[in-house]
Amino acid sequence: VSIRLIGSLVSTYHLTGDGLYLDKAMEIGDIAMECFKDSEIPHIGLDLSAGTCQSDLVQECLYQDCSNSKACKYFYCKAEISEVGTLGLEFRALSAASGEMKFWRAVNKTCNKLLQYKTWDGLVSRYLYREEMRYVESSDIGTGPGR
């Protein structure tokens, strides 16, 4: 499920005034809150059918040394800054629309945590290591996910 699903539902609620869209956004937001369970930097990957945040791969990697597996290093130890930022915007919009501040508080913790990470003259890389509190050193420049 795309992280943009919550934002789409909140936007549709604002456009139509139909509370069904806000209810669904809240339902998915509650599941997405699980993404913050193990870290202030959320794991992005919702499994709506299971009602959990972590995919099977993330669950499999949870207790492994990330240096042993390229897949685990990507899915568990690293976070893509654009995904974290997008979830922050969506959670704030959801809090504003619903009045439920738990979403705002969750991403506020994330923002505060990100401010502790070392940057290069105010610039950040595409990925960050959750536990090491640092951005992945890279010269990659992209225009969006996967580019």
Side-chain angles (χ1 to χ4, degrees):
V1 169
S2 169
I3 53 175
R4 290 157 190 89
L5 182 57
I6 295 170
S8 298
L9 289 166
V10 171
S11 295
T12 304
Y13 163 71
H14 284 300
L15 289 170
T16 65
D18 187 340
L20 171 69
Y21 296 105
L22 184 57
D23 291 345
K24 289 297 175 187
M26 293 280 294
E27 185 179 322
I28 294 167
D30 285 335
I31 294 169
M33 286 292 288
E34 289 289 311
C35 297
F36 294 89
K37 183 171 61 177
D38 298 322
S39 174
E40 290 170 329
I41 306 299
H43 298 284
I44 308 298
L46 300 177
D47 182 348
L48 295 180
S49 63
T52 62
C53 174
Q54 298 175 339
S55 68
D56 291 340
L57 180 58
V58 173
Q59 191 65 37
E60 179 182 315
C61 297
L62 195 55
Y63 299 105
Q64 294 182 13
D65 176 6
C66 293
S67 62
N68 292 334
S69 167
K70 185 177 181 180
C72 288
K73 193 171 199 80
Y74 177 78
F75 285 104
Y76 179 68
C77 293
K78 286 177 19 180
E80 190 161 358
I81 195 68
S82 62
E83 292 179 334
V84 173
T86 299
L87 186 62
L89 292 171
E90 290 180 296
F91 264 32
R92 284 190 167 111
L94 183 55
S95 282
S98 68
E100 184 64 58
M101 296 310 292
K102 67 182 176 184
F103 304 110
W104 186 284
R105 284 191 294 273
V107 295
N108 231 25
K109 287 181 185 177
T110 299
C111 288
N112 290 335
K113 188 70 151 181
L114 290 176
L115 291 172
Q116 297 173 18
Y117 282 68
K118 181 185 177 292
T119 64
W120 297 275
D121 294 325
L123 299 175
V124 300
S125 73
R126 184 175 174 181
Y127 298 100
L128 56 91
Y129 290 113
R130 285 185 175 84
E131 302 306 320
E132 298 171 29
M133 287 189 59
R134 67 179 177 90
Y135 290 96
V136 176
E137 293 180 27
S138 171
S139 60
D140 290 350
I141 297 173
T143 57
R147 294 177 202 35

